[in-house]
Each structure stands twice: as structure tokens, then as C-alpha cells.
Amino acid sequence: MERNDRLKRFEYWVKARIGKIAFIDIEEKREKAWYGNGYGGFYVDPTLVPANAIVYSFGIGEDISFDKAMIAKHGCKVYGFDPTPKSINWVKNNETPETFYFHPFGIGEKTEHVIFHLPKNKDHVSGSVYDHSLVDEHNSVEVLLKSFTDITQDLGHRHIDVLKMDIEGSEYVVMEGILNSGISIGQILVETHERFFADGKAKGQKFFSLLHDHGYRIFAISDTYQEISLVKTK
């Protein structure tokens, strides 16, 4: 598994370098630590994670190494979300930490049922609402997505310490709703998917400009240039 993780990350690194996504840079120098394994992890500023922190983890797949690390190191409550049938089944059949709370739906611009394309490779987990090269347009399911406002209202949260997001291209359409929700968020960790779109670089530039306008600054970038960590500065 460790070797496979390294191979996957190398493949992603190559795609990152040739896929027009290496256009960002560190904006804020802060302490950082890698949480999770080589494939599913993110950088976090541990000094900004209080005891009993609230963590939202959008996009679980079959890997909760990030979520486990957050719980182990900080005693967090982690709320996981994923509408993918394979992910739902994996969580159901595997032991998870006591303070990991899984919800079998995803995040969308609004609360609705949508068509979700499943991966072409049956060994993979991640599906997408977008028809890109890694999913099968002829193999789809209907899934529930909820708006960020509805999710936070249902769970009763007004502040989130860490929001992690790996949602296969949907980050570009949901972020504005998250930032305009009135919910305070200390750190935002996001895997970007510019490589899925012909106008990926433009999407990425608009995405990070939006975050910057809302007071978020990049403090860590993974070696693949896909896992980006931002902190709220103002």
C-alpha cells in the first residue's frame, strides 16, 4: 500500500506540473504538519486546532487516515460526508473512531438529488457530478447533495475549525456558498481538480481569488500542487 501511495502521488505530481495548476504560491508562513497517509492527507496548522475542535471532511472515499489523525492528535469531532455508494459501504463495514460521524450525502450548491458518474476503473472509489475522463458517463447513480447552509443548520454549527474538501471538481461551485454562509472557518484544506476541465487554470485562478477576497491565505501546498491549505487571517 505504501508503494502504491508513492506511485499515485508521483502520477499526480506529473499531472500537476503539465496540467496548468502550478500557478499558486505560499502567502502566509505558519507552522504545518501533514495529517493522514501519503495519498489522502493534507497539511494542517496544528497550533490553530483547539481541543474538541469541529472538523468537516467532505469526500471520504475509502480512506479516513486524515480524519483518524485529526482525532488522535486533537480529540476532534470529525463530520464526514460522501454520497458515493462504495464509500458508504466501506464506512458501514469498517470500524471508525467514536468521534467520527459519517453522513451519506455530499455537498452541492443547493439541496437536491443529482446524477453522479462512477469511476471507469472499478477499483477506484471517487465519482463526480462532472463528466470527465476518469468517470463513466454510462454508469451513474442518483445521490443526495446538500447545501453548506443546510448541513450546518442541521448539525447546529456556527464555527468550524478545519474544513477539508476533496470533492472531485465540485469545489469550484460550492465555495462561494461556503464563504457567504456566515459560518466562521479557521482552516480550509482543499484538493483541486483543474486537470478535469479545459478551462481549469481559469477556474483555479478565480477559485483562489475568491478565497483571498474572503481573508484566506495559502500556508501550505503539497508536492503534487493539489492539496492546498489555507488559513483565515482577517
Side-chain angles (χ1 to χ4, degrees):
M1 178 61 74
E2 209 171 294
R3 182 173 179 273
N4 288 339
D5 282 348
R6 288 199 300 270
L7 287 173
K8 285 179 181 178
R9 292 189 68 78
F10 178 74
E11 290 169 0
Y12 286 155
W13 183 86
V14 172
K15 290 177 182 177
R17 291 299 181 180
I18 65 175
K20 303 179 182 177
I21 69 172
F23 56 84
I24 55 174
D25 206 349
I26 300 297
E27 300 173 304
E28 178 94 2
K29 289 188 176 181
R30 302 199 64 90
E31 185 173 333
K32 66 179 184 180
W34 187 262
Y35 284 60
N37 62 27
Y39 177 63
F42 286 84
Y43 282 115
V44 175
D45 181 345
T47 69
L48 298 179
V49 183
N52 301 313
I54 299 297
V55 177
Y56 276 26
S57 183
F58 291 104
I60 296 299
E62 294 179 330
D63 182 356
I64 60 170
S65 60
F66 167 82
D67 314 278
K68 284 183 173 179
M70 291 296 297
I71 292 169
K73 294 180 182 181
H74 300 286
C76 303
K77 291 182 179 178
V78 177
Y79 296 81
F81 308 86
D82 201 311
T84 314
K86 202 170 182 179
S87 179
I88 294 169
N89 187 61
W90 184 88
V91 172
K92 186 184 300 183
N93 291 289
N94 284 271
E95 186 175 347
T96 60
E98 186 178 347
T99 56
F100 176 78
Y101 308 100
F102 180 73
H103 299 273
F105 54 82
I107 184 171
E109 289 184 271
K110 59 183 179 179
T111 298
E112 61 180 343
H113 284 86
V114 302
I115 299 301
F116 198 72
H117 303 294
L118 299 176
K120 288 178 181 177
N121 188 326
K122 304 303 180 185
D123 293 330
H124 293 173
V125 180
S126 301
S128 177
V129 297
Y130 297 102
D131 182 17
H132 58 78
S133 62
L134 299 179
V135 297
D136 184 353
E137 61 178 316
H138 303 296
N139 185 16
S140 303
V141 294
E142 186 176 82
V143 303
L144 175 62
L145 302 183
K146 290 189 177 184
S147 70
F148 184 70
T149 298
D150 284 349
I151 292 170
T152 53
Q153 285 180 349
D154 290 346
L155 294 175
H157 296 137
R158 297 299 304 167
H159 173 76
I160 298 166
D161 295 287
V162 179
L163 187 153
K164 164 244 157 182
M165 182 180 295
D166 179 3
I167 54 175
E168 306 302 313
S170 291
E171 61 270 18
Y172 304 110
V173 297
V174 303
M175 187 54 72
E176 186 170 1
I178 291 172
L179 296 174
N180 291 331
S181 66
I183 304 298
S184 60
I185 304 170
Q187 299 182 65
I188 295 178
L189 324 175
V190 58
E191 179 174 325
T192 57
H193 297 84
E194 283 90 346
R195 63 193 183 279
F196 287 177
F197 305 98
D199 61 343
K201 185 174 181 179
K203 282 184 182 295
Q205 289 173 327
K206 182 179 179 181
F207 180 78
F208 287 107
S209 177
L210 177 68
L211 283 158
H212 190 277
D213 290 346
H214 281 78
Y216 286 90
R217 299 293 182 267
I218 298 169
F219 72 89
I221 303 172
S222 72
D223 57 0
T224 68
Y225 263 75
Q226 290 180 18
E227 294 85 14
I228 316 299
S229 301
L230 304 99
V231 62
K232 179 75 168 178
T233 59
K234 59 181 178 180

